[in-house]
Amino acid sequence: MNKRDVYLDYAATTPTDERVVTAMLPFFTEIYGNPSSFHSVGLKAQQAVAEARKAIAHFLGAHEDEIIFTSGGTESDNLAVMGITQLKAHRDAIEAQSGQKIPHVITSAIEHHAVLEPLLALQKKGSIELTILPVDRYGQVDVVDFKQALRPQTLFVSIMSANNEIGTIQPIEEIGRALLRWRKSENTPYPLFHTDACQSAGYQPLSVEKMHVDLLTFNGSKLYGPKGIGVLFVRRGTRLLPQMLGGG
Ligand SMILES: *Cc1c(COP(=O)(O)O)cnc(C)c1O
C-alpha cells in the first residue's frame, strides 16, 4: 500500500496480525500432516487443531465439542440455516407440536446475505415460512415485535449480533431470554437461536451462555485472523444436517 493510503474498511476484512502469521508458519512447512493421519506428523497437526478448538471454545464460553471449523462466515451461516431447517427430525418435531407441515423462521431485514439468501431461497421453494422483522431508524430489531412473531411452528431464529454496514448492535441477550421463556411456557426445545457474530467477535465479549444462543457464526478475516476460516458454534445436543458429505 502507498504511504498515503488509509485503509478504513476493517468491517469488510482486517489485515492478518503478524503474531497470527508467525503462529501459522510452522503449519505450512513443518507440521504439515493430515490431522486424521495416525503417524507422528499427523498427530502433531491433530494436537494443534485440538488446541485451536480449545482456545475458541474458551473465547465463546463453550465446550470443545461444540466448535465446528468452516471456510468462513458464509459457510457457517449457510450450515446453520440449512443444517437446522432441512433436518427431518426438526421438521417432524415442529409438525408434531404444532400440526403445521411448514416450519416458520424469523430473521431481520438487515442480516448479511449469507443468512438472508438461503432463507429467501427456502421460502421460495415452499420449504419454510419466513418472517423478516423490520428495524427501527437505528437499525435495531424491536423485542416486542420479535415476541409477537413467535408461533408454535417457529423452528429457527437468526438475528445478527452486530451489523456489517452500520454497526448496530442487536439486543441478542434480551431476545435469547425471551426465547427461553417461550420454550418454557410452550414446553418445547424450539425455536433454535442462531446469531451471526462476525462483526462482534473483535469488539464485544461473546458468551454463548449469556446470549442464550444455540448456534453462533464468526470468522477469522474480521478479527485479524487468516482469511478462509470460520467457526460455527453448535450447542451440545443440537442436531444439524451436514451440508458436505464424506469430510468426517
Ligand atoms: C463478513 C461477514 C460474513 C461473511 O463472512 P466470510 O468469512 O467473508 O464468508 C457473514 N456475516 C457477516 C455479518 C459478515 O460481516
Side-chain angles (χ1 to χ4, degrees), residues 11-12 71-75 77 112 114 160 162 164 196 198-199 219 221-222:
S71 64
T74 304
E75 187 186 338
D77 283 345
H112 192 274
M160 72 195 330
N164 44 299
D196 176 342
C198 287
Q199 293 293 340
N219 58 1
S221 76
K222 308 271 169 73

Side-chain angles (χ1 to χ4, degrees), residues 153-229:
Q153 67 268 37
T154 309
L155 162 60
F156 184 65
V157 171
S158 192
I159 307 281
M160 72 195 330
S161 302
N163 183 263
N164 44 299
E165 290 182 39
I166 56 173
T168 301
I169 296 168
Q170 299 296 346
I172 295 300
E173 292 181 22
E174 227 180 311
I175 290 171
R177 283 195 299 272
L179 280 174
L180 285 190
R181 283 195 294 274
W182 167 271
R183 290 175 188 168
K184 203 166 175 194
S185 73
E186 302 279 315
N187 191 25
T188 166
Y190 299 106
L192 298 171
F193 183 24
H194 169 248
T195 192
D196 176 342
C198 287
Q199 293 293 340
S200 309
Y203 304 97
Q204 279 182 292
L206 294 181
S207 158
V208 292
E209 283 317 309
K210 269 200 187 151
M211 296 163 101
H212 304 295
V213 290
D214 303 290
L215 303 107
L216 180 145
T217 290
F218 78 95
N219 58 1
S221 76
K222 308 271 169 73
L223 75 159
Y224 305 89
K227 324 288 180 195
I229 184 85

Side-chain angles (χ1 to χ4, degrees), residues 119-146:
L119 285 176
L120 288 168
L122 291 172
Q123 180 193 36
K124 202 170 167 195
K125 246 182 26 167
S127 174
I128 59 166
E129 279 175 17
L130 185 60
T131 297
I132 302 177
L133 294 171
V135 293
D136 65 16
R137 65 199 172 110
Y138 303 108
Q140 262 197 329
V141 168
D142 185 315
V143 180
V144 176
D145 283 355
F146 171 76

Side-chain angles (χ1 to χ4, degrees), residues 1 18 32 52 98 123 178 184 201 229:
M1 221 191 286
E18 278 181 28
Y32 48 79
S98 68
Q123 180 193 36
K184 203 166 175 194
I229 184 85

